[in-house]
Structures are given as structure tokens and as C-alpha cells.
Amino acid sequence: MLFARIAGVGSYLPGKPVSNNELAQRGVDTSDDWISTRTGIKTRYLAEAGVTSSELAFEASRLAISDAGIRAEDIDLIIVATSTPDYIFPSTACLLQEKLGNQGAMAFDVQAVCSGFVYAVTIAEKFIRSGSHKKALVVGAEVFSRILDWNDRATCVLFGDGAGAVVLEASDKPGVLATATHADGSYNHILSVPGCVSRGQVVGDPFLRMDGQAVFKFAVRALTDVAKECCAVAGIGSESIDWLVPHQANIRIIESTAKKLGLPMEKVVVTVDQHGNTSAASVPLALDAAIRDGRVKRGQRVVLEGVGGGFTWGAVLLEY
Ligand code: UT7
């Protein structure tokens, strides 16, 4: 049987960590106590002006490609999950492709906000399983700092910039075992950047707007249900997985989800404290951290899961 197996991982965070206190010193009406207690976030990374998603994606991809022991030219599929693309077009994936020196791979972006990486892995897996592609680079990369309203303390303290990448390779050894992905567009209004560029002007609102409590409730329900659904596809119970790598948005969302899944927090990878919510980059950032520090080992069962604007949500069960 043909599987899509993780051959390499990498991640990148730009610049130095910015603490909660530093945000308060920069004029945001907030405190370390409020942010830590409500979200678990301690620091985030904010890219310098002019640094783009494709640049962050490049740094993470370089590491993932090297970890996989392949060359950039070996890749035949590049998918970048991002809601903060460099341009309207061409895609961030094509800009990344040029930076990597790859020619000829199919390259495109996926727009599923914080579920983007899970969506992208799901898509890449289908290409690999079909036999049409052999080596996929799947990246989540974001510069969310560009779409934050720094006068809106209820949102600007939550997000940060970063990128994470995996190389998925066709293999006869187990890799991705099951996937489950969904969307419900009727929830578009609870988390959005409701603006666009038209005739040379911004039309609507170019900043992230969120109904925090509605998102919180939706996220816990969706993350719980989709992890169970994905495990059921593979015929296992969610309590029997080795690691849960959830979207890193808020420690309270992560803890509630773990509790509902019957998983102790020792089996849950948490990095939200270090980099805040990096949208599509959050799951690969957390996965890379847990592989690097030796927690996630070859042969273990891992569930990656995301939820975000759209609303979108999804999970991938894999054997690492
Ligand atoms: O990828 C998904 C992305 N979204 C999320 O993960 C967000 C999910 N939602 C949440 O995590 C929570 O709803 C928040 C952390 C955003 C907010 O927590 P909350 O417990 O729902 O707080 P709240 O919005 O009800 O606000 C409580 C108070 C308000 O003050 P008053 O009206 O009670 O006086 C806010 O003005 O907290 C105030 N507040 C703040 N205070 C200090 C809101 N933001 C801040 C802040 N610093 N940054």
C-alpha cells in the first residue's frame, strides 16, 4: 500500500520574541496577567516590515528539505497554506518555488486560515496516494501582524508570525492513516478580515475581526468532534493516540479539547505560550518542536488538527 509519510520537518520564527509586557509598553491597553490567564500566550514573534510569508516559508522549507535528505529540485508538489500571501497573485507557493530554485513542481496556495496546514496535508496526501506525485512540500506560513488592528486589544495580543513545513514522501511504510476535513461558511462572520483591494483602494475593513467567545465555543466542539471522526476512520479511539498536535490558539481551548477527548495534557503538544496564534503555521510549528525535542518518535500515532475562519476545521491521523 502507498502512504504519504513525513520525511522531514522544519520551522522558522522571525526576529526576537515579544513579551506581553512589551506589548503593554508599546501602548496596547493590556497586561501580562490578562493575556497569560485568558490565553496562555507569553510571547509572539513579529516580522520586520517588508518580511513576507514566502520568506518565512523559505526558511522553514530549507530546514524540512534538509531534514528529509532530499534536494529542492526533487519536490514535485508545493502547497503553501496562508491567509497572508505576499501578493494577490502569483501564489506564495510560486514565490517560494523560485526562492528554493525548484522548477516544474505543481505549486499553489490553500486558503483555509488556521485549518490551512491540515487542509494542505490532506490535499498532498491525496496526490501522493494517487501515484501522481512523489515528494510534496507542505508549508504553513503567515505574517498575521500585518492584518491586526493594534488598537483592538481583544485581537492584537493573540496572534504572531511564523512558518512551519513538512516534506511528505510516497512510501510503503505507514504515514497518513486517515483525514477528516469540513467547512461551514455560514459562520464566516465570527472570524474574518472583511475587506479587499479594488480599483486601487481598500474596500471594507483590512483588519482581523473576531467574536472571541463564539470562536472559542465553536473551536472546542469542532476540534473534539473532528479528532474523534478522524480516528474512527482509522478504526481507533482518540484516547489511544500517542500525541495530539492541535491548532495553537489558546491554552484553554487546547485543554478543553484534550479533556473531551480523554487525553492527559502529557500527550498534547503545546507551543502557543511561545509564539501565540500563527494561524496556518501553528500546527507545523508545534509538530516541529515536538519532533526536535524527541517527544514525537518514529512509529507513534499523531493527530494534527486545526480550526479557523470560514469556518473550517480538520484533522489528520498519521504514524510518524
Ligand atoms: O484561530 C482561532 C482564533 N481565535 C481564538 O482562538 C479566540 C478564541 N477566543 C478566546 O480565546 C477568548 O474569547 C479571548 C481570549 C479572545 C477573550 O477572552 P474572554 O474571556 O472571552 O474575554 P472577553 O472578550 O469576554 O473580555 C473580557 C474583558 C473585557 O472587559 P470588560 O468588558 O469585562 O470590562 C474586555 O474588554 O477583558 C477585556 N479585554 C482585555 N483586557 C486586557 C479584552 N482584551 C483584553 C486585553 N487585555 N488584551
Side-chain angles (χ1 to χ4, degrees), residues 70-202:
I70 63 166
R71 299 166 308 163
E73 50 268 44
D74 300 332
I75 291 163
D76 53 11
L77 174 63
I78 301 173
I79 310 180
V80 175
T82 187
S83 299
T84 47
D86 294 20
Y87 301 136
I88 290 174
F89 73 80
S91 68
T92 306
C94 285
L95 300 174
L96 171 63
Q97 179 178 35
E98 187 199 23
K99 288 183 171 67
L100 290 170
N102 172 285
Q103 282 175 340
M106 181 183 184
F108 63 93
D109 288 0
V110 164
Q111 202 334 358
V113 202
C114 304
S115 313
F117 183 76
V118 168
Y119 265 51
V121 168
T122 301
I123 296 164
E125 192 252 348
K126 309 300 174 214
F127 275 90
I128 289 175
R129 285 278 288 270
S130 77
S132 66
H133 291 73
K134 301 255 175 300
K135 287 183 174 37
L137 174 65
V138 182
V139 189
E142 303 278 16
V143 283
F144 253 54
S145 57
R146 306 288 151 73
I147 52 168
L148 298 177
D149 176 355
W150 288 97
N151 294 313
D152 178 8
R153 66 178 183 170
T155 55
C156 72
V157 302
L158 304 176
F159 297 88
D161 304 333
V166 300
V167 172
L168 284 178
E169 227 169 37
S171 172
D172 52 8
K173 289 193 209 133
V176 174
L177 302 174
T179 63
T181 39
H182 300 283
D184 185 342
S186 69
Y187 286 90
N188 70 79
H189 56 282
I190 64 171
L191 178 56
S192 64
V193 180
C196 68
V197 175
S198 175
R199 297 173 189 262
Q201 290 187 328
V202 173

Side-chain angles (χ1 to χ4, degrees), residues 29-31 34-35 38-39 114 153-154 157-159 191 210 212-213 215-216 247 249-250 252-253 277 307-308:
D29 180 15
T30 192
S31 65
W34 191 95
I35 302 172
R38 305 269 174 149
T39 73
C114 304
R153 66 178 183 170
V157 302
L158 304 176
F159 297 88
L191 178 56
M210 180 174 72
Q213 288 181 4
V215 169
F216 193 104
H247 173 43
N250 181 317
R252 293 187 297 137
I253 293 176
N277 184 345
V307 60

